[in-house]
Amino acid sequence: MIGAMAGFATVDAFFKLATATQSAGQILAITSLASFFIFLVILRRAGGQLIHRDALNPLVQIRAASETAGTYGIVMALAVVPLAEVTVIAQSQPLVVALMAAAFLNEKIGLRRWIAVALGLLGVIIIMRPGLG
């Protein structure tokens, strides 16, 4: 987990540097094409299919469009907001998902999980605005 988080932070830092000279669209186009070709090589070696009929499901397409919009938003945010703030907001997503699942999907969340979410959101606030002011 520590390695994965370090990897995310490293990629975000490189995106932050790249947005100084390139547009978000160019950065996403280049990284998406590179990722696609790497994925394609791995897929071919494993003997898998590139397109599956499940990909035609409207819910899958909505999710893909949402992921694309989210990725574009993160790269745009990296261009204009300090790296630490973008990172803490991105890392707080699971907390917000838990809150929204309880609010909109009537998911049962136990006391320990509510405490963990509250402490996590408190941590986000401390990182975003350190100090007592």
Side-chain angles (χ1 to χ4, degrees):
M1 187 65 165
I2 292 170
M5 292 301 106
F8 282 125
T10 302
V11 168
D12 286 349
F14 281 122
F15 275 157
K16 178 79 172 166
L17 291 172
T19 58
T21 58
Q22 305 295 318
S23 72
Q26 289 174 317
I27 294 167
L28 289 176
I30 291 168
T31 56
S32 295
L33 281 173
S35 298
F36 172 75
F37 287 117
I38 292 168
F39 174 77
L40 191 60
V41 168
I42 294 169
L43 182 70
R44 293 289 181 220
R45 285 186 146 175
Q49 296 177 258
L50 181 59
I51 298 175
H52 194 273
R53 68 175 177 209
D54 290 342
L56 301 176
N57 182 326
L59 293 175
V60 173
Q61 292 177 354
I62 290 169
R63 179 179 177 178
S66 299
E67 289 282 345
T68 302
T71 301
Y72 188 77
I74 288 286
V75 174
M76 289 297 294
L78 285 167
V80 296
V81 178
L83 180 61
E85 290 184 21
V86 174
T87 301
V88 76
I89 290 170
Q91 297 304 318
S92 68
Q93 288 175 353
L95 303 173
V96 175
V97 168
L99 291 172
M100 294 299 114
F104 295 109
L105 301 175
N106 296 323
E107 288 289 325
K108 303 289 186 225
I109 297 180
L111 180 61
R112 290 188 313 179
R113 191 159 291 152
W114 277 119
I115 292 170
V117 167
L119 289 174
L121 290 175
L122 179 64
V124 168
I125 292 168
I126 290 170
I127 291 171
M128 295 293 285
R129 299 281 181 240
L132 299 175

